[in-house]
Amino acid sequence: MISDKNGPIPGANVNLKGSANGASSDFDGKYSIKDVPSNGVLVFSFVGYKTKEISVSGRSSIDVVLEDESNTLKEIVVIGYGAVRKEAVTGSVATIGGKELSEFASGNVTQALQARLPGVELTQTSTKPGASMQIRIRGTRSLTASNDPLIVLDGVPFAGSIGDINPVDIKSLDILKDASATAIYGSRGANGVVLITTNKGRKGQKAKFTYNGFGGIKNVFGEYPMMNGNQFAALRDVTKLYSDGRDEVRGVNTDWQGLLYDSGQIISHDVSVSGGSEGGSYTGGLGYYKEESVLPGQSYERFSLRASLDQEIGTAFRIGFTTNNNYAITNGDNIGPGAALGMSPLVNPYDANGNLKRTVNMGLIDDKWVYTRESINALGEKYINLNRAFSSYNNIFAELKIPGIDGLKYRLNSGLNFRATNNGYYEGQGVFDVNAATLSNASISNFMSTQWLLENLITYDKTFAEKHTINFVGLYSNESYTGNNSRIARNGITSDAFQFYNIGQSEEPITITPSEQDYTKWGLRSYMARLMYSYDNRYFISGTIRSDGSSRLAEGEKWVTYPAVSAGWTISNESFMKNITWLNSLKLRAGYGETSNQSVDPYATLGTLSTRPYNFGTTNSTGVYVTELPNPALGWEYSKTMNYGVDFGFFNSRLTGTVEYYNTQTENLLQRVALPTTSGVSGYTANVGATENKGYEISLNGVILDNPNGLTWTVGFNLYANQNQITSLASGKDRDESNLWFVGHNIASIYDYEKVGLWQEGDAFMSNYEAGPTGVNQAGTVVGSIKVKYTGEYNADGSPTRRIDATDRQIIDTDPDFQGGFNTNLTYKGFDFNAVGAFKSGGVLVSTLYGSASYLNLLNGRSSNVDVDYWTPTNTGADFPNPNGVRSGDNPKYMSTMGYFDASYLKIRSITLGYTLQQDFMKTVGIDKLRVYASVQNPFVFFSPYHDMSGMDPETNSVGDQNQAVNSYPSRILVIGTNTPSTRNFLMGLNLTF
C-alpha cells in the first residue's frame, strides 16, 4: 500500500526503475505490479511528495509511506466514481475537509458549510431546530423544476436529505460545479453535485475509539423590533382610529416576546470505533443530537447509527457495505412568534389574582388567545404537533480485479433506501382560539418511500512508461423510486387523551382530501463512459458521454445523450519554469459540458383530473373535470456550460488559490404554463423559456506564519458573483407578471413600485400624482404618504399627464453583486483559535415585517406595530409614512415598498478557542488526543443596513409564501418573516481519541 501520514494515496505511481513497467495505486492506496525481478528497484512518486526508491530484495509485498514535499496539489479530490490528485482535476471542483467542517459545531453540515466555498450559496429557508439550508451551486437555473444539487454519499447517489447525514461522520466534502465535472452523474447532477466521503477504518489500523460531543445554550440574537407600550399608545392617539380595549391600560408595557421566549439548548454526543485487519477495515458509530428552540414545545431530536465494512477475499475480490440509519423527532413545527407579535403591549395578560387570562381584548374589536410560553406549556394533552421519521440508507458493493489485465476492475454498487414519516397534529377544544367551544381537531399523515439503485462499473487505471496515465470508467445503472402518502383529518375528538392516535373517536365526518393522497413511481436508466488521460503530470484531458432515460418524460422524449470535455495544463511542471522559484504551481483549465434536468413531478405528461360534487336530480353525484392538460411532447431541460480556471501557488505554496469564470445557458425549461380561464383548464407542463448564469469565483488561502513549535497562522478567503437572468419565456413574451418572470432579469425578481420618498407639504403637483382617499383630487390628503417613482409623460408646466398607476411598477432584481466568506486559524503549542465570517454586497433583502405582508406595520393602532420612525407634522424627515395618509385596504398605500432593504452584510459566523492536551502526557494514559473547546456562533454583525434598523440577523428565515399574514411572494424568494427567531449559540465541546 502507498500512503502518507494521513492514510492511503490513490493515483500514486510505482515504476520498475529503468523500464517502462509501471502501475498506479487505487482509491485505497493499493497497487500491483508484475514482472518485477527480485533484485529490482521500485520508484514510488506522487505530485507534492518526495520520490522514494526501494529495493525489492526478494519481497512480494512492499508498503511505503511518502513524505510531503510541499502542500501544493497533494490534496486528493473525489470527482465521482473515483478520486484523483488535485493536479489532475480539469473540471471545477471545490473541496473542504472534515476538520474544517468541524470548526462549526452543528447537527447539520449545511450550517458548517456556509460561506466556506466559492460558488456555493447556502441560505436559510427556516430557523427552526433541525432545518437544513437551501443549497444553490452557481445560481438558479430552472423556473419551476428543482434547483437542488445531487447528494452522493460514499460514491452512491443519496436518496435522503443532507440533514440525515451526521456532520461528525464526514471526512471530506467535494462539490462538482461545472458541467464537465457533473456530467458523469447525468440529469441528477444538473444543479451540481455534493460528494460526501465519510470516515472509515484503514487496513492494518488498530482499533480506535473516538468521542465527539458538544453542548450549550442558545439565546435570541435579536428580538423582533416591536413598539413598547408608550410608543403604541402614541401611535393610536395619532391615528384616532381605534380606542383602547377592555384589557388595555395606559402605562402598561407588556413584553410579549419576553413572555414567549426562553433559552434553548443544544446537545450532541457521537461515539465511533474504527480499525482494520490485514485484509479489511471496519467502522461503526452511534450519534445523538438534540436541539431545543427558544420557543416553547419546539425541538428536534435525532438518533443515528452507521456502520461500514470493507473486506478483501483473496487477492482479486473485495466486498463491503455502508449503512446510515436515522430516527428523527420534530416537535411543535407550527409554533411561531407571529401571534405574540400582534398582541398589544398595553394589555396585561394576568388578572387581579395573578392568573394568566385565556383571552384578552384590544382595540375594542379584537379578542386574542393569550399566546405565551406559560399558556402553551399548560396545554398538556390538549396540543401536540409531532413528526417522526425513520430512514435507512444502505450501499452494498462487490469489486473484482479482472484476471490477466492489470488495472481493470468490475464493481457492483447497490443502493437500498427506505424512509417513513408519521405526522400527527391535535388541537383540543378552544386551543389557540378565542371561542372556547371551538371543536377540537386532529389529523394524521403518513409517508413511505423505497428506492433502489444498481450501478455496474468497469474501471481501468494504468500508468505506462512512467509518463502516460489513463483512467477509464464505464457505467450502466438502473434506479427506481416508489412513494406514497396519505392524510385524514377530523373534528370533535371526544377526549384529549386520544389526540391524533384514534381519530375514530368522534361523531364528526372524516375529511379525506384527494390532493392529500398520493402514489408516485419513477425510474431512471443510464449509460456513461469517462476517459481521463495525463502526460507527465503536465497535460490532462477528460471526456465524458452520458445517456439517461427517464420515465417522467413523454414517449419518444425519454432518452437524451450529452457530452462533456475538459483539459488542463500544468505550466509550472514545464522545464522552462524550473528556475522561477517563487512560483510553485500554475495550472490552466478549460471545460465544456452539457447536462439535462428531468426534475418535474412524475405523470406531468398525462395531465390531471379533479373531482367536484354536484346534484343530478335528487341524487348527489361526483363529477370529474380536467385541471391540467397532458403534454405528449414533454422532454428534457438542457444546460450548456463553459468553464475557465487558473490554479496557482506562490512563495513555497504559502499563497495558493483559484480563479474561475463560467457561463451556463439553460434551454427548454421545464415549467408550468398558465392558460386563460376561458380555456377551462388552469395550465400544463411544457418545455419553454431559457435562463443564463454566469459569474466568477476567487478562492485564496495563505500561510502567514508557519512555526510548528510556535505560532502558526493561516487565513482563507473566497468571493464569488453570479449574474442570473431569464433570457426567454413562453410564446416569445418578455414578461410574465403573474409569476414575476421578466426577460433580462433575475429569476427571483420582484415587481413592485419603487419608493422615492414621502410626500411633503409644498411638493409641486402633489395632487396630480395621487388621488385622495375617496379617489377625488384633494390637495393635502397625501402629505406624508409614500411617494413612488413615476414613469409617465409630463405636461409643459411639469405636471404629470396621468396619475400613478400599475404601469409605474418596477422590476427589482434581488440577487447580490457578490458574496463570500473568510476564515482564520491560529495555533500556538496546544492552543487553537478559529473564526469564520461571511459577507454579501448589494441585492435586495425582503423583510415582510416592515412591508404589507405581515400586518405588523399597519400604522393604524389596531394591533401591535413594528417600531418605526413614522411621519407626523413635527417629524417630516421620517422614513415611514403618515399613519393618517392614503391607505390601500388595511395598509398605507404602497406599504410593500417599505419591506425592501439593502441585503449587504458583514458578520462573524463562529469563533472557537480550543486546547489540546500535550501528547506526551496523554500517551501515558493511553489517549491519543484530548481536546476541549468553547465556541460562540452568530456572535455579532459588523455591518448591515437591516441590522442597523431592526437589531435582527440580516439573513433570511423563511420562503416567500410562509410566515406572513398574506402570501405576497412566490416561495423561491427568500424573506425575513415571523419565523422562529435567529439565535446566538454558546457551546462547549470535547474531542477524545484512544
Side-chain angles (χ1 to χ4, degrees), residues 551-599:
S551 67
R552 304 186 190 204
L553 304 176
E555 292 294 335
E557 304 288 341
K558 294 184 181 297
W559 283 92
V560 64
T561 299
Y562 38 86
V565 62
S566 58
W569 177 28
T570 305
I571 303 174
S572 55
N573 286 347
E574 296 287 355
S575 59
F576 59 80
M577 299 290 290
K578 297 301 182 182
N579 295 326
I580 305 177
T581 57
W582 56 269
L583 177 64
N584 304 106
S585 62
L586 180 63
K587 179 181 178 182
L588 305 181
R589 292 181 285 109
Y592 169 81
E594 299 179 9
T595 56
S596 57
N597 194 348
Q598 43 100 34
S599 295

Side-chain angles (χ1 to χ4, degrees), residues 62-74:
I62 297 176
D63 292 332
V64 60
V65 178
L66 299 182
E67 298 178 7
D68 294 358
E69 186 174 54
S70 71
N71 291 323
T72 310
L73 302 177
K74 71 183 181 65

Side-chain angles (χ1 to χ4, degrees), residues 280-427:
S281 62
Y282 64 87
T283 186
L286 293 168
Y288 173 74
Y289 177 81
K290 184 174 184 180
E291 182 178 355
E292 292 183 350
S293 174
V294 295
L295 296 175
Q298 190 177 82
S299 64
Y300 173 79
E301 194 172 13
R302 182 185 65 213
F303 302 85
S304 58
L305 167 68
R306 75 272 186 191
S308 69
L309 176 69
D310 190 332
Q311 181 63 49
E312 295 177 355
I313 300 177
T315 59
F317 194 58
R318 177 179 163 214
I319 61 172
F321 73 88
T322 61
T323 180
N324 288 270
N325 305 275
N326 290 279
Y327 177 60
I329 305 167
T330 304
N331 280 294
D333 191 62
N334 71 319
I335 297 292
L341 297 179
M343 302 292 284
S344 167
L346 299 177
V347 167
N348 187 343
Y350 296 94
D351 61 22
N353 297 320
N355 299 316
L356 194 69
K357 300 174 184 176
R358 182 183 177 278
T359 63
V360 294
N361 175 265
M362 57 186 192
L364 289 181
I365 64 171
D366 286 326
D367 290 310
K368 299 288 186 180
W369 192 83
V370 174
Y371 201 88
T372 67
R373 175 173 290 272
E374 181 181 348
S375 63
I376 293 173
N377 288 337
L379 292 175
E381 292 185 337
K382 291 180 178 293
Y383 166 76
I384 185 173
N385 182 8
L386 178 65
N387 183 80
R388 293 166 292 190
F390 173 76
S391 54
S392 181
Y393 309 107
N394 307 278
N395 172 31
I396 303 171
F397 73 88
E399 186 176 276
L400 175 67
K401 294 181 180 179
I402 306 299
I405 306 177
D406 185 36
L408 184 63
K409 297 179 183 179
Y410 167 77
R411 181 182 176 106
L412 174 67
N413 288 327
S414 60
L416 306 171
N417 306 302
F418 172 83
R419 183 176 177 85
T421 62
N422 171 269
N423 184 278
Y425 186 84
Y426 176 73
E427 279 184 12

Side-chain angles (χ1 to χ4, degrees), residues 821-836:
F822 55 91
N823 63 87
T824 184
N825 293 271
L826 293 95
T827 60
Y828 179 74
K829 297 185 178 179
F831 291 95
D832 61 88
F833 172 84
N834 168 263
V836 178

Side-chain angles (χ1 to χ4, degrees), residues 37 65 69 79 136 155 163 190 228 299 330 383 398 405 409 554 595 635 673 707 749 754 795 889 895 926 940 951 980:
V65 178
E69 186 174 54
I79 59 170
R136 292 292 179 263
N228 61 32
S299 64
T330 304
Y383 166 76
I405 306 177
K409 297 179 183 179
T595 56
V673 178
N707 184 353
S749 293
E754 179 184 339
N795 295 311
M895 197 61 174
F940 47 82
T980 302

Side-chain angles (χ1 to χ4, degrees), residues 364-664:
L364 289 181
I365 64 171
D366 286 326
D367 290 310
K368 299 288 186 180
W369 192 83
V370 174
Y371 201 88
T372 67
R373 175 173 290 272
E374 181 181 348
S375 63
I376 293 173
N377 288 337
L379 292 175
E381 292 185 337
K382 291 180 178 293
Y383 166 76
I384 185 173
N385 182 8
L386 178 65
N387 183 80
R388 293 166 292 190
F390 173 76
S391 54
S392 181
Y393 309 107
N394 307 278
N395 172 31
I396 303 171
F397 73 88
E399 186 176 276
L400 175 67
K401 294 181 180 179
I402 306 299
I405 306 177
D406 185 36
L408 184 63
K409 297 179 183 179
Y410 167 77
R411 181 182 176 106
L412 174 67
N413 288 327
S414 60
L416 306 171
N417 306 302
F418 172 83
R419 183 176 177 85
T421 62
N422 171 269
N423 184 278
Y425 186 84
Y426 176 73
E427 279 184 12
Q429 182 173 311
V431 171
F432 302 140
D433 201 291
V434 173
N435 184 359
T438 300
L439 290 177
S440 62
N441 67 89
S443 65
I444 186 168
S445 57
N446 292 286
F447 169 79
M448 185 181 75
S449 69
T450 58
Q451 188 169 6
W452 59 262
L453 169 71
L454 289 177
E455 293 182 328
N456 298 271
L457 288 159
I458 289 288
T459 62
Y460 181 66
D461 200 332
K462 184 71 173 176
T463 298
F464 301 92
E466 299 187 24
K467 294 185 177 181
H468 302 272
T469 299
I470 63 171
N471 175 278
F472 172 80
V473 177
L475 167 78
Y476 168 68
S477 70
N478 274 295
E479 182 177 4
S480 179
Y481 168 92
T482 303
N484 70 277
N485 65 275
S486 60
R487 182 182 183 273
I488 60 173
R490 200 170 196 181
N491 295 332
I493 305 302
T494 56
S495 170
D496 292 329
F498 290 126
Q499 295 185 328
F500 61 81
Y501 297 106
N502 191 344
I503 291 182
Q505 294 294 336
S506 172
E507 296 181 357
E508 299 294 320
I510 289 180
T511 302
I512 301 178
T513 304
S515 62
E516 295 176 333
Q517 328 301 315
D518 182 63
Y519 173 82
T520 299
K521 186 172 184 178
W522 57 262
L524 185 70
R525 181 174 296 174
S526 304
Y527 302 88
M528 183 276 295
R530 180 183 68 191
L531 179 64
M532 301 173 64
Y533 168 77
S534 67
Y535 173 73
D536 197 26
N537 290 325
R538 288 184 287 163
Y539 311 113
F540 307 87
I541 188 168
S542 174
T544 303
I545 188 166
R546 171 104 183 192
S547 291
D548 284 331
S550 172
S551 67
R552 304 186 190 204
L553 304 176
E555 292 294 335
E557 304 288 341
K558 294 184 181 297
W559 283 92
V560 64
T561 299
Y562 38 86
V565 62
S566 58
W569 177 28
T570 305
I571 303 174
S572 55
N573 286 347
E574 296 287 355
S575 59
F576 59 80
M577 299 290 290
K578 297 301 182 182
N579 295 326
I580 305 177
T581 57
W582 56 269
L583 177 64
N584 304 106
S585 62
L586 180 63
K587 179 181 178 182
L588 305 181
R589 292 181 285 109
Y592 169 81
E594 299 179 9
T595 56
S596 57
N597 194 348
Q598 43 100 34
S599 295
V600 292
D601 292 335
Y603 320 121
T605 60
L606 305 180
T608 58
L609 301 174
S610 295
T611 60
R612 179 171 292 171
Y614 69 97
N615 294 327
F616 184 75
T618 59
T619 304
N620 294 327
S621 300
T622 299
V624 178
Y625 65 100
V626 178
T627 54
E628 295 280 338
L629 288 177
N631 184 356
L634 187 65
W636 293 85
E637 178 178 294
Y638 297 96
S639 291
K640 300 176 182 179
T641 300
M642 288 295 301
N643 188 85
Y644 308 93
V646 179
D647 305 320
F648 54 84
F650 302 140
F651 315 120
N652 199 26
S653 297
R654 297 189 71 146
L655 175 63
T656 59
T658 296
V659 178
E660 293 193 85
Y661 172 81
Y662 63 90
N663 187 305
T664 299

Side-chain angles (χ1 to χ4, degrees), residues 872-922:
T872 66
T874 59
N875 185 35
T876 58
D879 292 324
F880 285 80
N882 180 359
N884 293 315
V886 178
R887 305 188 73 84
S888 176
D890 293 320
N891 292 278
K893 194 173 183 180
Y894 309 126
M895 197 61 174
S896 60
T897 64
M898 302 304 303
Y900 306 139
F901 294 84
D902 181 352
S904 302
Y905 68 78
L906 172 64
K907 64 183 294 187
I908 297 296
R909 300 202 66 248
S910 70
I911 299 174
T912 302
L913 178 64
Y915 180 72
T916 302
L917 276 69
Q918 298 301 309
Q919 292 289 103
D920 292 342
F921 167 76
M922 301 309 298

Side-chain angles (χ1 to χ4, degrees), residues 674-848:
L675 294 175
T677 54
T678 53
S679 68
V681 180
S682 60
Y684 67 104
T685 303
N687 297 102
V688 291
T691 62
E692 178 187 63
N693 281 275
K694 61 182 179 181
Y696 61 85
E697 300 164 358
I698 301 172
S699 177
L700 298 172
N701 292 282
V703 180
I704 299 176
L705 299 173
D706 187 12
N707 184 353
N709 299 317
L711 180 64
T712 298
W713 182 14
T714 63
V715 294
F717 172 83
N718 72 84
L719 179 148
Y720 60 98
N722 176 263
Q723 296 178 10
N724 162 267
Q725 66 172 335
I726 299 172
T727 55
S728 70
L729 288 169
S731 303
K733 297 187 300 182
D734 63 357
R735 59 177 54 206
D736 181 345
E737 294 180 7
S738 62
N739 286 307
L740 302 183
W741 292 328
F742 305 93
V743 172
H745 295 272
N746 298 163
I747 292 175
S749 293
I750 296 169
Y751 190 49
D752 203 351
Y753 298 95
E754 179 184 339
K755 180 203 171 193
V756 294
L758 301 178
W759 287 108
Q760 304 292 348
E761 194 70 50
D763 282 353
F765 308 112
M766 176 173 58
S767 59
N768 297 82
Y769 287 97
E770 295 284 358
T774 60
V776 179
N777 181 11
Q778 298 175 352
T781 57
V782 293
V783 174
S785 294
I786 297 173
K787 180 180 181 180
V788 299
K789 185 175 181 178
Y790 171 72
T791 61
E793 301 294 329
Y794 293 89
N795 295 311
D797 62 355
S799 62
T801 59
R802 60 170 174 80
R803 298 190 185 281
I804 299 288
D805 60 26
T807 62
D808 292 302
R809 289 177 294 174
Q810 307 291 307
I811 303 170
I812 304 171
D813 289 327
T814 62
D815 287 356
D817 299 324
F818 61 85
Q819 58 189 310
F822 55 91
N823 63 87
T824 184
N825 293 271
L826 293 95
T827 60
Y828 179 74
K829 297 185 178 179
F831 291 95
D832 61 88
F833 172 84
N834 168 263
V836 178
F839 61 86
K840 180 183 291 187
S841 177
V844 175
L845 172 66
V846 180
S847 174
T848 63

